[in-house]
């Protein structure tokens, strides 16, 4: 297996793990309160990452701390809206809607950075809008709060990516990522301790969900993504990661018995096509 093929395989694993995040969160949110769950998830991720990169974290400079805080706040918003959002919508819907961040990134660039929009991107945005309508609007042409929260999550994640583009090349991206996870854990922990009944679970099933979310879906995925991007292009990685909502729908079907309506499948296909179009620009 050559280096690029191996790298693309690792990116595919990242998409697979991230696709499982929605149904795992839906299980976890049924047993723990939202802030409690995300505190344990990102606390676990930070501790695991710190074991491997503690020297780089301890040597963080002002630039590293600055971007860690900015990205930590944006990530806190995206994780929070996703965690609560899946409580009020299906895991399948959440996976497809949050994948809209791939489309939102170039759209935000056009609005705020005054970049010209390409025809393919314009087609992508139109398809994505149609996909959202088919997937989320009911007969009364309304959208539920879970779907709306997932769209907000996609927007916050898109902003994270745009901020990452501004990080100086000589900055330690690994330390920034690790500290970002720590900040998310602390922010969720403070809110959980003051507004919820924070607890450590005694159920092995719930600990299994937290470990998979924290280690595999967060810490390991971040490390694999950094490693893989050394040997493959960002465009190829983006296309492969667009498979995330497909994995999300698959896991939701297998573990939660969730099925999309015919209208939902049409919307899902349109969203999938729009994500692919946006990813190859």
């Amino acid at each position: 297996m050559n280096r690029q093929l191996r790298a693309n395989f690792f990116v595919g694993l990242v998409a697979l793990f991230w696709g499982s995040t929605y149904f795992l969160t839906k299980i976890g949110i049924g047993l723990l309160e939202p802030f409690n769950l995300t505190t344990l998830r990102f606390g676990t991720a930070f501790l695991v990452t710190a074991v491997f990169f503690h020297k780089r974290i301890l040597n963080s400079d002002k630039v590293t701390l600055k971007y860690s805080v900015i990205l930590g706040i944006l990530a806190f918003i995206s994780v929070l809206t996703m965690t609560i959002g899946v409580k009020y919508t299906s895991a399948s819907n959440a996976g497809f809607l949050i994948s809209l961040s791939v489309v939102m990134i170039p759209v935000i660039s056009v609005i705020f950075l005054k970049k010209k929009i390409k025809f393919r991107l314009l087609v992508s945005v139109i398809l994505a809008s149609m996909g959202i309508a088919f997937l989320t609007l009911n007969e009364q042409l309304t959208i539920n709060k879970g779907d709306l929260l997932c769209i907000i999550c996609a927007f916050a994640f898109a902003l994270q990516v745009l901020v990452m583009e501004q990080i100086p090349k000589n900055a330690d991206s690994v330390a920034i990522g690790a500290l970002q996870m720590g900040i998310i854990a602390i922010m969720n922990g403070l809110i959980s301790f003051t507004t919820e009944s924070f607890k450590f679970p005694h159920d092995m099933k719930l600990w299994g969900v937290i470990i998979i979310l924290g280690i595999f879906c967060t810490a390991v995925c971040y490390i694999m993504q950094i490693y893989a991007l050394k040997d493959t292009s960002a465009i190829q990685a983006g296309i492969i990661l667009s498979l995330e909502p497909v994995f999300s729908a698959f896991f939701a079907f297998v573990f939660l018995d969730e099925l999309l309506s015919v209208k939902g499948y049409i919307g899902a296909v349109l969203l999938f096509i729009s994500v692919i179009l946006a990813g190859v620009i």
Side-chain angles (χ1 to χ4, degrees):
M1 184 182 294
N2 62 46
R3 295 176 67 89
Q4 186 173 33
L5 184 60
R6 183 177 60 187
N8 288 338
F9 172 74
F10 283 132
V11 176
L13 285 180
V14 172
L16 175 66
F17 283 127
W18 281 354
S20 70
T21 298
Y22 307 103
F23 96 88
L24 288 169
T25 299
K26 199 168 184 69
I27 294 173
I29 208 68
L31 301 171
L32 282 179
E33 295 179 279
F35 294 105
N36 194 163
L37 177 64
T38 49
T39 299
L40 293 174
R41 172 187 172 182
F42 281 89
T44 301
F46 173 74
L47 290 175
V48 170
T49 307
V51 169
F52 294 96
F53 302 110
H54 58 277
K55 291 183 179 179
R56 297 172 73 164
I57 294 171
L58 292 174
N59 291 328
S60 299
D61 55 17
K62 291 182 179 179
V63 173
T64 299
L65 294 174
K66 171 187 172 183
Y67 282 100
S68 297
V69 171
I70 294 172
L71 291 172
I73 293 172
L74 288 173
F76 168 73
I77 295 171
S78 63
V79 171
L80 176 63
T81 50
M82 185 275 285
T83 302
I84 299 177
V86 296
K87 186 177 182 179
Y88 299 104
T89 190
S90 69
S92 301
N93 272 26
F96 281 105
L97 291 172
I98 294 173
S99 71
L100 283 175
S101 59
V102 179
V103 177
M104 291 179 179
I105 291 168
V107 172
I108 295 172
S109 296
V110 170
I111 295 174
F112 293 99
L113 302 179
K114 307 302 180 183
K115 293 184 177 179
K116 293 183 179 180
I117 188 168
K118 295 182 179 179
F119 177 74
R120 183 175 291 180
L121 177 57
L122 180 60
V123 174
S124 177
V125 172
I126 293 172
L127 287 175
S129 301
M130 293 171 61
I132 292 175
F134 276 102
L135 184 63
T136 62
L137 294 180
N138 55 29
E139 289 75 12
Q140 288 73 43
L141 298 180
T142 59
I143 185 170
N144 71 48
K145 60 183 178 182
D147 294 330
L148 180 60
L149 285 169
C150 288
I151 293 172
I152 294 173
C153 172
F155 181 73
F157 182 76
L159 290 179
Q160 288 180 65
V161 175
L162 292 172
V163 170
M164 289 178 191
E165 289 182 342
Q166 307 303 315
I167 297 176
K169 292 183 179 181
N170 60 347
D172 191 337
S173 58
V174 174
I176 291 173
L179 289 170
Q180 176 183 340
M181 289 187 285
I183 290 170
I184 297 169
I186 291 172
M187 293 179 71
N188 278 280
L190 290 173
I191 298 175
S192 181
F193 277 109
T194 55
T195 64
E196 300 175 340
S197 300
F198 182 88
K199 62 181 180 181
F200 287 97
H202 300 288
D203 183 86
M204 291 305 298
K205 175 184 177 182
L206 185 53
W207 268 120
V209 169
I210 292 169
I211 289 171
I212 294 173
L213 280 174
I215 296 178
F216 295 100
C217 298
T218 307
V220 171
C221 279
Y222 181 77
I223 294 170
M224 276 201 301
Q225 193 175 25
I226 294 174
Y227 175 78
L229 284 171
K230 293 180 180 179
D231 296 314
T232 191
S233 69
I235 292 177
Q236 283 187 314
I239 293 173
I240 296 169
L241 287 173
S242 70
L243 295 174
E244 177 187 337
V246 177
F247 289 127
S248 173
F250 171 76
F251 284 121
F253 170 72
V254 173
F255 294 100
L256 302 178
D257 295 322
E258 289 185 1
L259 286 173
L260 295 174
S261 64
V262 174
K263 181 168 65 70
Y265 279 112
I266 294 173
V269 170
L270 290 173
L271 277 172
F272 183 75
I273 294 172
S274 73
V275 169
I276 292 295
L277 286 173
V280 299
I281 290 174

